[in-house]
Amino acid sequence: MKRAGLAAVLLCLLLSGCAAAPETESVSFFAMDTFMSVQAAGENASAALQAAEARVNELERMFSVTRPESELAQLNAAGSLTVSKDTAALLERALAFGKLTDGRFDITVSPAVDAWGFYTDDYRIPDASELSALRERIDFRRVALEGCRVVLGEGQRLDLGGIAKGYASEEICRILRQEGVESGLIVLGGSVQTLGARPDGSLWRIGIQHPDGSGYLGVWTGRDCAVVTSGDYRRYFEQDGKRCHHLLDPRTAAPAESDLRSVTVICADCVKADALSTALFVMGREAALDFRRAQEDFELILYTADGRLIVSSGLAHSFETDYPMEVAE
């Protein structure tokens, strides 16, 4: 398996930090199976960063699918559980995104993720009969949530990996603002959140990685938005000449056969950006563009399997690239 997140993180820090004021402070740590970095400028930046790191670690203890002591792992083992308000709030949003995307985003995909070996790095390709059985267990509509009480359908297990980092980013922003921080940059693997403008008042410049690793598709310039990318190049293994990536299609319990290589969602709502980057990849190019036209509260950067770079109309003046670019209305 290859992981490309670190290179993207380093570029984001390079682009955003080169003109930062001296009072900028930062913290880096590993959580939620990814490298994370948060920088902040302000009188209480140090205290805010400490609180942010502690909060992310707290959330991981709730949301981790692989740590047996986490709330999510306990729920998966028992089939029902009264969970914390944080877990209930995230589940509520995750189920809502399942409905919004007609099941392309589905947190009940965990048994399939496990079967393909993405939890243990013990990779394998399930046969047709196993995939058929897995598909029977994937359906977010069978998850019952009332208040903080969660009941799963028979044989179901949940995975919040497609939305948890968005929630963590939202919480970090809340803490930074609470501590009076007006300028910050949050990098959680392939998820970037900008808070305010840069310390010198200029806009942030965030690089979008090219899926083939040859530099960057382009640079987005802006503020107060999440920039989240999902792609077939981030986590995958190869077997019998086939690339098997971790973005599974809930309808097939297998890696999505998408005509896209990467999807970047830019949105003020970091939780939504996290969920949609996964769902739109599964949908494919035309359905993703149709979905964007119906929603209109986020922007979209698509890189297709045949090498086309397509951006939504709201990015026509804030996304710079050296590649031919199509603007979709």
Side-chain angles (χ1 to χ4, degrees), residues 16-17 19-27 38-49 172 175-186 194-201 204:
S16 61
E23 66 272 16
T24 297
E25 299 189 45
S26 65
V27 62
V38 184
Q39 69 179 60
E43 184 177 349
N44 297 322
S46 180
L49 292 173
I172 292 172
I175 290 169
L176 296 185
R177 291 190 179 100
Q178 184 175 289
E179 292 293 336
V181 172
E182 297 180 354
S183 174
L185 182 72
I186 303 159
T194 61
L195 173 61
R198 290 165 61 179
D200 64 2
W204 296 100

Side-chain angles (χ1 to χ4, degrees), residues 220 266 299-301 311-320 325:
W220 170 78
I266 301 175
E299 301 298 338
L300 194 57
I301 301 170
V311 304
S312 55
S313 57
L315 295 176
H317 303 294
S318 60
F319 183 71
E320 306 168 30
M325 182 177 76

Side-chain angles (χ1 to χ4, degrees), residues 11-24 39-42 181-186 192-207 219-225 320:
L11 177 81
C12 288
L13 293 176
L14 175 64
L15 289 174
S16 61
C18 58
E23 66 272 16
T24 297
Q39 69 179 60
V181 172
E182 297 180 354
S183 174
L185 182 72
I186 303 159
V192 179
Q193 172 74 40
T194 61
L195 173 61
R198 290 165 61 179
D200 64 2
S202 62
L203 297 177
W204 296 100
R205 291 172 55 80
I206 306 300
V219 177
W220 170 78
T221 303
R223 57 175 291 166
D224 290 314
C225 274
E320 306 168 30

Side-chain angles (χ1 to χ4, degrees), residues 2 37-38 63 87 96 100 132 144 160 167 172 202 217 233 260 270 282 305 316 328:
K2 299 181 180 179
S37 178
V38 184
F63 303 154
T87 300
L100 182 67
S132 178
L160 295 174
Y167 190 85
I172 292 172
S202 62
L217 287 173
Y233 61 96
L260 297 171
C270 37
V282 173

Side-chain angles (χ1 to χ4, degrees), residues 60-230:
E60 182 175 29
R61 290 191 292 270
M62 300 178 199
F63 303 154
S64 173
V65 71
T66 57
R67 294 175 59 166
E69 74 278 12
S70 76
E71 278 193 345
L72 188 65
Q74 292 178 46
L75 170 61
N76 285 339
S80 61
L81 191 70
T82 300
V83 299
S84 65
K85 290 182 179 179
D86 281 303
T87 300
L90 186 55
L91 286 174
E92 183 177 21
R93 295 208 66 185
L95 295 174
F97 284 122
K99 183 176 181 180
L100 182 67
T101 62
D102 194 26
R104 302 306 190 271
F105 181 82
D106 194 322
I107 56 174
T108 65
V109 76
S110 179
V113 177
D114 192 18
W116 285 84
F118 285 109
Y119 292 144
T120 62
D121 294 348
D122 184 17
Y123 305 116
R124 55 186 290 271
I125 299 179
D127 62 28
S129 62
E130 185 177 0
L131 289 175
S132 178
L134 287 167
R135 287 194 297 270
E136 294 298 315
R137 300 163 66 182
I138 300 172
D139 184 357
F140 72 94
R141 298 172 185 85
R142 291 166 54 199
V143 177
L145 174 65
E146 292 192 13
C148 290
R149 183 67 180 173
V150 189
V151 180
L152 307 182
E154 184 177 354
Q156 288 192 317
R157 285 181 283 144
L158 307 185
D159 185 337
L160 295 174
I163 195 171
K165 284 188 283 293
Y167 190 85
S169 186
E170 185 176 80
E171 283 294 284
I172 292 172
C173 281
R174 179 186 62 79
I175 290 169
L176 296 185
R177 291 190 179 100
Q178 184 175 289
E179 292 293 336
V181 172
E182 297 180 354
S183 174
L185 182 72
I186 303 159
V187 183
L188 312 183
S191 172
V192 179
Q193 172 74 40
T194 61
L195 173 61
R198 290 165 61 179
D200 64 2
S202 62
L203 297 177
W204 296 100
R205 291 172 55 80
I206 306 300
I208 309 300
Q209 188 172 357
H210 197 297
D212 68 8
S214 61
Y216 300 89
L217 287 173
V219 177
W220 170 78
T221 303
R223 57 175 291 166
D224 290 314
C225 274
V227 183
V228 183
T229 300
S230 292

